Amino acid sequence: MPALLAALLLGGAPMPAAIGPVERPNVLVILADDHRYDALGFLGHPFLKTPHLDALAARGAHCANAVVTTSLCSPSRASILTGLYAHTHGVTDNYNPPADGLVWFPKHLQAAGYETAFVGKWHMGDTDAPQPGFDHWISFRGQGTYFPDGRGTSRKVPQNSDGMLNVNGTQAPQRGYITDELTDLALDWLGKRQGERPWLMYLSHKAVHSDFVPADRHRGTYADAPWSPPPSFHPTDAPTGARPRWLRDQRNSRHGVGFAYNLPQSGENAAGGNVADENAFDLAAYHRRYCEAILALDETTGRLTDWLEESGQAENTIVVYLGDNGFQFGEQGLIDKRTAYAASVRIPLLVRWPAAIPAGSTVEQTVASIDLAPTLLDACGVPWPEDTPCDGRSFLPLLKGEAAEWREAVLYEYLWEWNYPHTPTTHAVIGERWKYVRYHGVWDTDELFDRHADPHETVNLIADPAHQETVTRLRAELFALLAETGGETLPLKPDRGVSFPWRRPDGPPPGAFPARFDVPSEPPAASVPAWVRGVETAEPSPP
């Protein structure tokens, strides 16, 4: 097997003869890691160029408001593959394995006659073993590694593995840069297929997961590119509501700009000023490295779409490009993901299918990661099995530009992790206009954002008297969504891995207690909202 891998990397994937058209579409899913929604050239990024992803959007549909239902690698990947919320599929962190018997949607395609292949990052449990539903399998343990010799990183990433690949049950060494190599292996399988059965290729990239390492050919491309802190870099209170205390606390943590990854801090935006350390964390430089690592994702996506054209299969192949979650670069004073804020939950979602989807179209409705599996089965003419649960729904009519009813809102959930204790258990209702965020198990304030008027989520409206009816309605809708999908209890999994509870003694100070909870012992009834006084109020049923 190593000889095969070496041959692939030295000579590239073989180009097949054109395969005749099939009645059912082929499916190519390209899943990126931590690719945030706006890191695309056609959306006006200040310096990142993504011509191949731009072309994919121009020739298909851009789902402009796509979100994940859990912004964390393993739970999100499980939701994409099952169509289920995390509380349903049970994968709630990056360490504990999925339950036996969980069904991945490729198994349904496989049963319907599709040839199926998985290439890349699995990252559910400490395994790289072949999974049910895939005829062909190539993966690695945990996070994998960008280069087998580990070069280019500034820190040790938890769950990074040793550069070995599991190829249909046989161990083989990784030879080169992981984004290129996974693409080579995907093209090799596609090029060697025989017959006219429809196929699914699920290409699951490591990139662009931190610690970001670009390909050697891209290193330094954006070294001099400008970067400015986002509008929410310094969260501020407003008369309509304070920002949560946990948010201010997290600024001085592994996932905050004041002690990012628990490294020495450098750069003009770090608390404490510049630090003379070659491994110091500089948020601007980190963002540039992120963008440089995306360049290989863009190039290899172009290689795959070029192959489809040259093999005569482009017309009837559904190509999906999406991220498993977003990534924060200073939004709300944070890095990483996990939160319900926009930079964390919003993802790129591009879908091209020339035979059915109008080129250059935009889907404005809020579609979610749990919707991809039922959408692909719908497009392939494969009914969702009645004995298999599904929380998502097909958005194929939206992709085709057809008039169709759509959900009012989608549920977001994140469960507190022992490994990263600075983000609380979070539930949110994300609708077309409103986002209501409820924090569980902490004495803190919740949040309400107007997504239209405040896209950067800088003003918390939770205490605004004008919006109390909206708060009440969305809180009721949150619990209705949990009840409908069996999410009224919280799963508790064993603590695994390493915990990072550290703070800098000289870093950003802790947050103050939410001022809106400070009320006189006998407040005038008219001056305090009913829900603050503790008076029971009728809660309307969600629409």
Side-chain angles (χ1 to χ4, degrees), residues 248-254 256 258-259 502-505 507-509:
R248 300 185 187 282
D249 289 347
Q250 189 173 139
R251 192 180 189 93
N252 184 3
S253 78
R254 188 175 182 86
F259 198 20
W502 318 120
R503 297 174 61 83
R504 283 176 53 197

Side-chain angles (χ1 to χ4, degrees), residues 213-344:
V213 180
D216 288 341
R217 64 187 180 276
H218 297 137
R219 190 181 304 275
T221 299
Y222 297 130
D224 299 321
W227 182 84
S228 299
S232 63
F233 189 77
H234 292 286
T236 56
D237 295 340
T240 55
R243 305 308 301 274
R245 183 178 185 180
W246 73 261
L247 176 62
R248 300 185 187 282
D249 289 347
Q250 189 173 139
R251 192 180 189 93
N252 184 3
S253 78
R254 188 175 182 86
H255 292 156
V257 297
F259 198 20
Y261 298 120
N262 303 145
L263 294 172
Q265 303 297 295
S266 183
E268 61 181 346
N269 298 310
N274 291 312
V275 176
D277 188 318
E278 63 179 7
N279 289 322
F281 183 86
D282 183 325
L283 185 56
Y286 207 55
H287 181 254
R288 295 182 190 109
R289 278 174 52 190
Y290 174 85
C291 293
E292 290 172 356
I294 287 176
L295 295 177
L297 287 173
D298 182 70
E299 287 182 358
T300 54
T301 297
R303 290 179 58 202
L304 289 158
T305 54
D306 286 348
W307 182 88
L308 290 172
E309 296 287 349
E310 293 163 8
S311 66
Q313 299 179 75
E315 181 71 15
N316 202 36
T317 296
I318 303 170
V319 180
V320 180
Y321 183 95
L322 76 160
D324 67 345
N325 46 249
F327 199 89
Q328 296 161 143
F329 284 99
E331 284 83 5
Q332 316 298 339
L334 307 181
I335 62 167
D336 199 74
K337 54 250 184 181
R338 292 173 168 84
T339 72
Y341 298 122
S344 171

Side-chain angles (χ1 to χ4, degrees), residues 131-197:
Q131 298 294 314
F134 297 100
D135 300 309
H136 182 69
W137 178 266
I138 300 177
S139 190
F140 45 78
R141 289 175 55 250
Q143 297 285 2
T145 182
Y146 280 99
F147 285 103
D149 62 6
R151 69 181 184 270
T153 64
S154 56
R155 64 186 179 90
K156 172 65 177 174
V157 177
Q159 297 183 287
N160 259 30
S161 57
D162 55 6
M164 295 297 292
L165 303 177
N166 184 320
V167 184
N168 294 317
T170 299
Q171 292 293 308
Q174 176 184 336
R175 301 289 183 176
Y177 185 65
I178 192 64
T179 307
D180 296 335
E181 186 159 351
L182 295 178
T183 305
D184 289 339
L185 294 169
L187 285 167
D188 179 66
W189 181 80
L190 290 168
K192 291 179 176 177
R193 287 185 60 257
Q194 301 294 322
E196 296 189 357
R197 289 171 60 193

